[in-house]
Amino acid sequence: MSNKPSTQNNNLKEKPAVLLIHGFSENNQIWQHQLDTLSEQFYVIVPDLPGTGNTPVTTPLSMESMADYVYGLLQSEGISRATVIGHSMGGYVALALAEKYPALIQGLGLFHSTAAADTEEKKEARRKSINMIEKYGNEAFVKQTMPNMFSPAYKKQHPEQIESYIQMCLQCPQSSQIAYYEAMMQRPDRTAILSSVTVPVLFVIGKDDTAVPMQHVLPQVSTPRISSIYIFEETGHMGMWEMPEASKQLLEQFILFCQHY
């Protein structure tokens, strides 16, 4: 996978466009279980955000600057309209994209994400994580923290997938980890975007998600004019890995719905 999907030729650009945005500490590999199937029907863009993978940081990291980056990427691909789906921090970027470039959005997906700003409690937790990274280094932080993105049941049953996720997150530079945390703390509340968009909005929620708890997201699902809501049982923050087939199906259904809406 790459920022510009070179495996898809120009004829495939006639297919509906889909942008999948990864979350904090991740890269575009997070969508690996869904990409092959979705690419059969859609023109899928899976970028690495600035500071991750092969994408350098050229401006200070913020949700708005990352939204500008992916918008420029879509423009370079000749895409003027797309279904945009973001995981966790990627959802924050998707919301910023919807605010800055509303005409682009054909459908909006929040995959284990929220339109609300950080609470003071959440900001304090992020500050503690930054302190941990600075004190003990990125590797110690990732190995201790990132497995908690999964449900207890999944961690016990799939240790090889947890290790694969850890190795992916270790590819994210320490400086980017800190910059992402700071950007997330500074992002504004974008709940109003959910009520202003006229396109369908997807909410994917994990019942065991401790990063974006279900009780924090549920009040938002009635805000858009059209909502699609999926709640995964015994699933944490990583539905695309914990429930790969179900995630593939719901993404496919939502994207097709957006095309015919």
Side-chain angles (χ1 to χ4, degrees):
M1 289 178 285
S2 64
N3 286 349
K4 296 185 178 181
S6 57
T7 58
Q8 304 188 45
N9 58 40
N10 288 332
N11 290 334
L12 291 180
K13 289 188 179 180
E14 297 176 2
K15 294 182 176 182
V18 179
L19 174 67
L20 301 177
I21 310 175
H22 68 79
F24 168 81
S25 192
E26 302 166 354
N27 55 44
N28 61 18
Q29 296 173 24
I30 198 64
W31 302 104
Q32 60 184 298
H33 301 298
Q34 290 76 43
L35 185 62
D36 287 346
T37 298
L38 293 180
S39 296
E40 293 174 1
Q41 297 187 68
F42 313 112
Y43 187 68
V44 186
I45 307 293
V46 282
D48 284 332
L49 291 173
T52 297
N54 296 318
T55 307
V57 177
T58 57
T59 59
L61 284 176
S62 67
M63 299 307 131
E64 295 77 16
S65 69
M66 289 188 281
D68 287 338
Y69 170 77
V70 294
Y71 179 75
L73 182 62
L74 292 175
Q75 292 294 101
S76 71
E77 290 286 316
I79 295 170
S80 60
R81 197 156 168 79
T83 299
V84 180
I85 298 167
H87 174 237
S88 194
M89 184 184 77
Y92 310 154
V93 176
L95 286 160
L97 192 68
E99 182 177 56
K100 297 192 74 172
Y101 308 103
L104 170 72
I105 308 298
Q106 190 158 24
L108 178 64
L110 300 182
F111 215 102
H112 303 301
S113 191
T114 174
D118 277 358
T119 62
E120 287 305 314
E121 181 182 7
K122 187 70 172 182
K123 288 180 180 179
E124 183 58 28
R126 296 199 198 279
R127 293 187 191 102
K128 289 180 179 178
S129 294
I130 291 174
N131 291 336
M132 180 180 177
I133 295 171
E134 292 175 337
K135 185 174 182 178
Y136 298 106
N138 200 41
E139 183 174 357
F141 165 77
V142 167
K143 289 183 175 180
Q144 178 174 322
T145 304
M146 303 315 288
N148 296 327
M149 298 298 102
F150 297 85
S151 70
Y154 188 87
K155 282 194 292 184
K156 183 177 180 179
Q157 297 168 8
H158 300 281
E160 76 289 346
Q161 290 296 318
I162 306 303
E163 180 60 27
S164 179
Y165 185 67
I166 287 172
Q167 292 305 315
M168 178 181 63
C169 292
L170 285 174
Q171 298 175 38
C172 184
Q174 178 169 318
S175 59
S176 295
Q177 300 268 30
I178 294 172
Y180 289 146
Y181 267 137
E182 291 175 341
M184 287 190 287
M185 287 190 289
Q186 295 167 7
R187 78 185 193 282
D189 186 296
R190 287 195 164 95
T191 306
I193 299 301
L194 296 179
S195 59
S196 67
V197 296
T198 58
V199 299
V201 178
L202 170 69
F203 296 89
V204 178
I205 301 168
K207 205 166 184 180
D208 294 338
D209 190 346
T210 58
V212 181
M214 180 172 65
Q215 64 267 27
H216 293 175
V217 181
L218 286 178
Q220 300 174 26
V221 301
S222 61
T223 304
R225 299 184 188 183
I226 301 173
S227 294
S228 295
I229 306 149
Y230 294 85
I231 299 176
F232 286 143
E233 300 283 343
E234 294 188 347
T235 301
H237 194 61
M238 303 300 301
M240 68 283 289
W241 280 31
E242 296 177 73
M243 300 288 288
E245 291 301 318
S247 294
K248 185 188 305 179
Q249 292 175 14
L250 71 86
L251 285 173
E252 180 182 11
Q253 292 169 1
F254 178 71
I255 296 163
L256 287 172
F257 176 67
C258 292
Q259 309 311 311
H260 296 101
Y261 171 71

